[in-house]
Amino acid sequence: MKTLIINTHPDFTNEEHYSIKLQKLFMEKFQERFPAEQLTLLNLYDIEVPRIEKGQLMDVWQKQIAREPLSATEQAVADQSAHLLAQFKEHHRIVIVAPLHNFNVTSRMKDYMDNIMIARETFKYTEDGSVGLMTDNYRVLLLQASGSIYTNHDRYTPLEFSHFYLQKMFEEIMGFDQFSIVRAQGTSVIAPQAVWANVPADMQKAFDQFYAD
């Protein structure tokens, strides 16, 4: 099972960020469990991710539907989008490394989702609604860091939209078999030791489920 780590942090080289610490912990466990295997690491803020706007995917898709030739710039956009989709589909284990930005995913992660949620590729439309095509034992693990705490069942719990969005898109739309989350919460409100207190155990449990037969 090939594993793809998608780092969605704009400051992805800063090891002080808790999402990067979560990624490091995951990678250490991976190397311990699978010393002969390689991870694929994709830093979204280190590459071009096509966007749904004029001059990019909007024009590409319209021309492709009309069977019109693409300009050189449009062809580059189309090629990059196709590459991201193919890379995504060939990895059966997806790890998303994410900070929480205003209760949601980062803007570059939303752009990435627009490149992989493609009809007849990762899902299809039927008379009864959409059906996922990523059903061959695909799993996703979200490693999320947040300044506040969103598991206290208070007014902020339902506002943490990012993991709800990702879970619904991966499981209900694309058909993934499993969605898990490991959180490092309260980075702005509690001591570092408290932020990390439950992380090792949570990571071990999620890791074991992620790679279970």
Side-chain angles (χ1 to χ4, degrees), residues 105 109 113 142 162-170 179:
V105 298
M109 181 60 187
M113 294 294 288
L142 173 61
S162 70
H163 90 277
F164 291 116
Y165 165 69
L166 292 171
Q167 182 174 15
K168 296 300 183 182
M169 295 305 102
F170 277 88
F179 177 92

Side-chain angles (χ1 to χ4, degrees), residues 142-179:
L142 173 61
L143 306 181
Q144 183 196 76
S146 60
S148 296
I149 299 173
Y150 295 94
T151 53
N152 287 335
H153 303 290
D154 56 20
R155 60 173 294 213
Y156 291 104
T157 296
L159 293 179
E160 196 279 275
F161 181 71
S162 70
H163 90 277
F164 291 116
Y165 165 69
L166 292 171
Q167 182 174 15
K168 296 300 183 182
M169 295 305 102
F170 277 88
E171 286 190 334
E172 295 196 18
I173 301 300
M174 291 188 284
F176 272 59
D177 291 329
Q178 183 186 106
F179 177 92

Side-chain angles (χ1 to χ4, degrees), residues 179-192:
F179 177 92
S180 303
I181 181 171
V182 175
R183 303 174 188 258
Q185 300 189 90
T187 62
S188 297
V189 295
I190 60 178

Side-chain angles (χ1 to χ4, degrees), residues 77-88:
V77 170
D79 290 345
Q80 176 66 350
S81 183
H83 165 71
L84 292 174
L85 175 62
Q87 180 188 59
F88 174 75

